[in-house]
Amino acid sequence: MVVEKKKKRGKSEAADPQPRGGGSRDHLLCDTMWRRRVGALLLRPRSPLPPPSSTLRRHLPDHQGSDGGNSRKPFIAFVLGGPGSGKGTQCARIASDYGFAHLSAGDLLRNEISSGTEKGELILDIIKQGKIVPSEITVELIRKAMESTDAKRVLIDGFPRCEENRIAFERITGTEPDLVVFFDCPEDEMVKRLLGRNQGRVDDNIETIKKRLKVFESLNIPVIDYYSSRGKVHKINATGTEQEIFGAVRKLFSSLRF
Ligand SMILES: Nc1ncnc2c1ncn2[C@@H]1O[C@H](COP(=O)(O)OP(=O)(O)O)[C@@H](O)[C@H]1O
Ligand SMILES: Nc1ccn([C@@H]2O[C@H](COP(=O)(O)OP(=O)(O)O)[C@@H](O)[C@H]2O)c(=O)n1
Ligand SMILES: [Mg+2]
């Protein structure tokens, strides 16, 4: 099994607006090709995306409660990291110890697959290929999940996966994350964990894993760079035992003022 070692990310790379990785760019497509392929599905007459609803608006303005407490937005933490870096594992612990709702983009998409709809079939097809689902679909699922929770603290796990995800989220919800947690893990460790995950996932096979790693490097790292430049990223070394990593997580979350 040959998996390319994680590259060192230099400044010039971070500034490169083009997807990285070289070779075929097929695996790098965030959304364009799929939008074309499923144009009919996405463009089917439907009500346009609503502006943030009153329920969501209640959560969205400044979480400090700028209008007397009636419009508090939840504290939003995006949780990012490569596939197998331990996002889901650590989110479950954060949720239980710090009272966060845990919204996993991957789980929301997999639930949609279980619904057996045409949209579900499309999502399954994309996930099998390690590509990124069109942002309209994912953001809409997240928006609904945010609306249906009363939690004042929300972890959004595995999102945004690309710049387009990020921009769509900010446009549709009218808000930004308060914090971005980045679990930094070497590729060989991520591959080992994914191959041992044993959850029967269609994308936990070596072929798809290689594609997911390339997509992460090319499309997700720029999102992390973007939020780093805005001072929102907290990087956590994701090697070691779950408990050791949670030690670093706890340090961060215990220092936050929600
Ligand atoms: N620190 C760790 N050391 C070894 N295995 C881990 C660790 N953290 C998580 N795992 C395991 O690795 C796999 C991937 O973890 P998961 O939390 O699902 O990652 P992600 O959500 O980032 O893909 C799971 O089987 C999980 O039990
Ligand atoms: N924002 C997102 C999140 C996941 N996904 C898809 O769902 C797959 C699984 O996501 P996940 O977050 O459950 O995967 P892990 O990183 O947790 O292993 C990804 O490889 C993508 O195909 C997506 O398209 N857009
Ligand atoms: Mg996960």
Side-chain angles (χ1 to χ4, degrees):
M1 167 175 74
V2 181
V3 177
E4 215 178 76
K5 268 253 181 276
K6 193 168 182 174
K7 287 173 288 179
K8 267 217 174 314
R9 288 185 286 278
K11 240 189 167 169
S12 56
E13 251 187 326
D16 178 6
Q18 297 301 316
R20 283 159 286 189
S24 160
R25 292 182 168 210
D26 185 45
H27 62 277
L28 304 180
L29 291 180
C30 179
D31 184 299
T32 316
M33 186 181 83
W34 291 104
R35 188 195 308 284
R36 219 174 291 138
R37 195 191 129 190
V38 298
L41 180 63
L42 292 172
L43 299 174
R44 187 172 288 163
R46 55 173 187 163
S47 46
L49 282 174
S53 71
S54 54
T55 323
L56 191 52
R57 258 202 315 272
R58 174 166 55 78
H59 292 292
L60 292 180
D62 179 0
H63 71 275
Q64 302 296 334
S66 53
D67 79 344
N70 195 29
S71 66
R72 293 169 77 85
K73 98 177 205 8
F75 181 96
I76 298 174
F78 285 162
V79 180
L80 300 177
S85 57
K87 300 180 295 297
T89 304
Q90 296 296 327
C91 279
R93 286 172 169 249
I94 299 166
S96 118
D97 282 20
Y98 294 94
F100 275 76
H102 175 196
L103 309 184
S104 155
D107 285 350
L108 291 169
L109 291 166
R110 284 183 286 275
N111 287 344
E112 197 64 26
I113 294 173
S114 311
S115 70
T117 58
E118 204 180 332
K119 198 196 286 176
E121 279 175 30
L122 165 73
I123 294 169
L124 174 61
D125 203 13
I126 295 172
I127 286 182
K128 271 185 186 165
Q129 299 187 55
K131 293 180 180 173
I132 297 178
V133 172
S135 299
E136 291 93 329
I137 294 177
T138 315
V139 174
E140 191 54 10
L141 292 171
I142 292 172
R143 190 185 66 79
K144 279 192 197 143
M146 285 175 72
E147 272 198 9
S148 63
T149 178
D150 273 335
K152 294 186 174 54
R153 304 164 188 179
V154 179
L155 296 171
I156 304 186
D157 164 8
F159 181 95
R161 226 58 175 210
C162 60
E163 279 289 277
E164 208 214 33
N165 268 185
R166 175 184 73 72
I167 291 162
F169 178 88
E170 291 178 0
R171 176 173 51 82
I172 290 167
T173 67
T175 191
E176 285 191 21
D178 298 284
L179 169 73
V180 178
V181 182
F182 168 34
F183 288 108
D184 192 23
C185 193
E187 284 195 355
D188 51 358
E189 176 65 19
M190 294 196 278
V191 172
K192 197 172 76 187
R193 290 181 190 174
L194 291 173
L195 291 175
R197 182 150 58 181
N198 243 345
Q199 289 176 355
R201 278 180 46 169
V202 293
D203 52 350
D204 281 349
N205 57 79
I206 190 62
E207 286 314 311
T208 313
I209 289 170
K210 283 182 190 170
K211 291 180 188 163
R212 290 160 68 198
L213 289 169
K214 283 185 178 164
V215 166
F216 173 71
E217 196 59 34
S218 306
L219 299 180
N220 211 170
I221 290 292
V223 175
I224 294 165
D225 288 342
Y226 170 83
Y227 284 124
S228 289
S229 73
R230 296 171 69 87
K232 294 195 173 187
V233 174
H234 192 101
K235 182 160 89 170
I236 290 181
N237 175 357
T239 56
T241 65
E242 287 181 26
Q243 194 54 40
E244 283 166 350
I245 298 163
F246 193 61
V249 167
R250 194 181 284 142
K251 240 188 199 163
L252 167 63
F253 279 80
S254 298
S255 74
L256 294 174
R257 281 184 48 228
F258 300 115

